[in-house]
């Protein structure tokens, strides 16, 4: 890349216009435009000025050793991590910023260390100065960095600092600026912010809606992956995802043992079939027994095909008011006389299976 291309890339990363760059280094906007279009190059006397403005070495301005910057920043961060001391971290990162003044990684790390000072220091003045500086460096990243991931990291750090210092409106503003890629951070930030404000009813409803959406997504991803591995003949992997989905379903059983019973029935059915393919009679029979345990749990109330299997668990989801989340599902018909014979050949003369089948069909 030419020096003009490098100036263009650095300017875009810093999110400044040609006019703003020109004003800072004392040239015309037209001069900057000519550099970036490779019409001409900056005067050699301007190289140190431009490099200092962007916080890079002259070598990097020319495109030499482009990887050295990232490597040096990693070394600085590792040194700070290895120090195992907050004040030493601040010292190491601050020295690193003297060499790389526009590094978003170093600024965000510094803000984190300063936020820790705010947590443990008994000196009110020291805490106030730490918070002020942490906010300043994170705001610089948000205002000047062209990397959305780094901006999100800075916004997340600002959210934490504002929540811890009871500046809740500012915390919410930062949460709202985060990209869609940061759904988890947005949720955690909002739950923390609403709790800090003591808006407990709003916090409960927000948290439960978020929890439900995350549960729903995880369950269906696990289910779909189990089908994918089954289609590929990777039964052992399919079984691992089936078991994970069962564990997720059972997480919400407390207070509601038939929580999503239809999905439990499907999961145990899939587990039994997977174990049959793997030739494991003991685990297959265990899955079949669980299948009918769940079936019997819902038989008392499943008198019609529109049985509301979601049976919202009031312990976890009592505050959900969004009707879009009130998912209904048709309970699959459980017909032992049709379902069990598909396993007869696999079990053969197995006495335990024969006794189990007889009890189910009785």
């Amino acid at each position: 890349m030419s020096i003009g291309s490098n100036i263009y890339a650095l300017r875009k990363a810093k999110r400044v216009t040609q006019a703003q760059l020109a004003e800072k280094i004392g040239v015309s906007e037209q001069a900057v435009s000519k550099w970036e279009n490779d019409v001409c190059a900056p005067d050699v006397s301007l190289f140190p000025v431009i490099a200092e403005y962007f916080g890079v070495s002259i070598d990097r301005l020319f495109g030499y050793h482009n990887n050295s910057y990232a490597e040096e920043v990693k070394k600085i961060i590792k040194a700070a991590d290895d120090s195992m001391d907050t004040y030493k971290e601040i010292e190491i990162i601050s020295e690193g910023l003297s060499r790389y003044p526009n590094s978003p990684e170093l600024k965000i790390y510094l803000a984190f260390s300063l936020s820790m000072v705010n947590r443990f220091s008994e000196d009110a003045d020291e805490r106030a100065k730490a918070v002020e500086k942490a906010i300043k460096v994170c705001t610089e990243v948000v205002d000047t960095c062209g990397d959305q991931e780094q901006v999100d990291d800075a916004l997340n750090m600002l959210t934490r600092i504002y929540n811890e210092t009871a500046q809740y409106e500012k915390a919410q503003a930062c949460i709202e600026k985060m990209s869609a890629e940061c759904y988890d951070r947005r949720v955690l930030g909002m739950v923390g912010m609403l709790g800090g404000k003591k808006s407990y009813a709003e916090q409960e409803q927000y948290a439960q809606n978020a929890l439900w959406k995350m549960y729903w997504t995880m369950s269906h991803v696990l289910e779909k992956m189990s089908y994918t591995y089954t289609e590929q003949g990777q039964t052992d992997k399919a079984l691992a995802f089936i078991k994970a989905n069962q564990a997720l379903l059972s997480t919400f059983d407390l207070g509601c043992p038939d929580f999503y019973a239809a999905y439990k029935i499907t999961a145990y059915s899939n587990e039994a079939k997977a174990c049959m393919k793997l030739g494991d009679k003991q685990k297959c029979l265990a899955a079949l027994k669980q299948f009918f345990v769940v079936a019997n749990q819902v038989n008392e109330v499943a008198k019609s095909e529109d049985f509301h299997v979601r049976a919202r668990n009031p312990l976890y989801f009592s505050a959900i008011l969004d009707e879009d989340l009130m998912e209904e599902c048709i309970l699959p018909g459980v017909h032992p006389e049709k379902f069990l014979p598909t396993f007869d050949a696999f079990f053969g003369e197995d006495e335990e299976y024969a006794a189990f089948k007889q009890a189910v069909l009785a």
Side-chain angles (χ1 to χ4, degrees), residues 204 207-213 215 252 259 310-321 326:
E204 181 181 22
Q208 291 188 9
N209 273 274
L211 182 62
W212 174 255
K213 290 175 183 178
Y215 156 76
F252 298 99
F259 177 76
R310 193 165 88 70
R312 182 178 58 181
N313 187 337
L315 185 63
Y316 296 104
F317 304 113
S318 61
I320 292 181
L321 300 177
M326 301 299 291

Side-chain angles (χ1 to χ4, degrees), residues 150-161 174 178 182 184-186 188-189:
Q150 299 288 358
V151 170
D152 284 335
D153 285 345
L155 287 168
N156 182 58
M157 184 57 62
L158 282 170
T159 300
R160 166 181 163 163
I161 294 167
C174 289
M178 290 183 195
C182 288
D184 55 338
R185 291 176 171 182
R186 292 169 68 98
L188 291 171

Side-chain angles (χ1 to χ4, degrees), residues 346-362:
F346 173 63
F347 283 102
E349 301 300 319
D350 187 280
E351 294 182 1
E352 187 177 0
Y353 170 74
F356 164 72
K357 181 179 178 182
Q358 183 178 3
V360 169
L361 296 176

